Amino acid sequence: LTPDDRYVILGQESSVVVFDLRLKQLYHLFENVHKNEVMAVATTPDGRFFISASDDGIKIFELEAKEEVHHFKDVHSGEDFFIANVILN
């Protein structure tokens, strides 16, 4: 859930789904953005970006632009959120 309670972001298999809660509809489907199952998602404190984690690394997305902005490859999932927190906070 984004900090403004507008969007809910979910991992679904290898994709990330973003729903707009105000409009009650799909905002965007980031289809097959990972090779394997998405294990976790998190948003930045300002809600501008979100990250998704899988065993192929983490990806950072800009929510409004609906695009991937960075991919950290070949890192262990335990390190993924540490790296993301350092970059995004």
Side-chain angles (χ1 to χ4, degrees), residues 31-44:
E31 195 167 15
N32 298 317
V33 293
H34 287 281
K35 293 178 186 175
N36 297 310
E37 184 177 359
V38 175
M39 297 182 291
V41 294
T43 63
T44 56

Side-chain angles (χ1 to χ4, degrees), residues 2-4 9-10 19 26 29 34 40 46 55 61 71 78 88:
T2 56
D4 63 0
I9 304 166
L10 307 165
F19 290 100
L26 178 68
L29 172 62
H34 287 281
D46 63 5
D55 59 3
F61 298 86
H71 182 189
L88 301 175

Side-chain angles (χ1 to χ4, degrees), residues 5 7 10 18 26 30 33 35 37-38 45 65 70 80 85:
D5 295 332
Y7 301 102
L10 307 165
V18 181
L26 178 68
F30 295 87
V33 293
K35 293 178 186 175
E37 184 177 359
V38 175
H70 197 76
D80 291 349
N85 279 327

Side-chain angles (χ1 to χ4, degrees), residues 9 18 27-28 30 44 46-52 59-70 88:
I9 304 166
V18 181
Y27 177 72
H28 192 70
F30 295 87
T44 56
D46 63 5
R48 254 185 87 204
F49 298 92
F50 73 89
I51 62 170
S52 62
K59 293 190 176 192
I60 301 173
F61 298 86
E62 187 173 355
L63 188 57
E64 189 175 306
K66 300 178 183 175
E67 66 183 16
E68 179 183 324
V69 294
H70 197 76
L88 301 175

Side-chain angles (χ1 to χ4, degrees), residues 4-24:
D4 63 0
D5 295 332
R6 175 150 189 191
Y7 301 102
V8 63
I9 304 166
L10 307 165
Q12 183 178 24
E13 298 179 0
S14 62
S15 301
V16 176
V17 182
V18 181
F19 290 100
D20 186 322
L21 296 176
R22 289 186 194 154
L23 299 177
K24 298 180 182 176

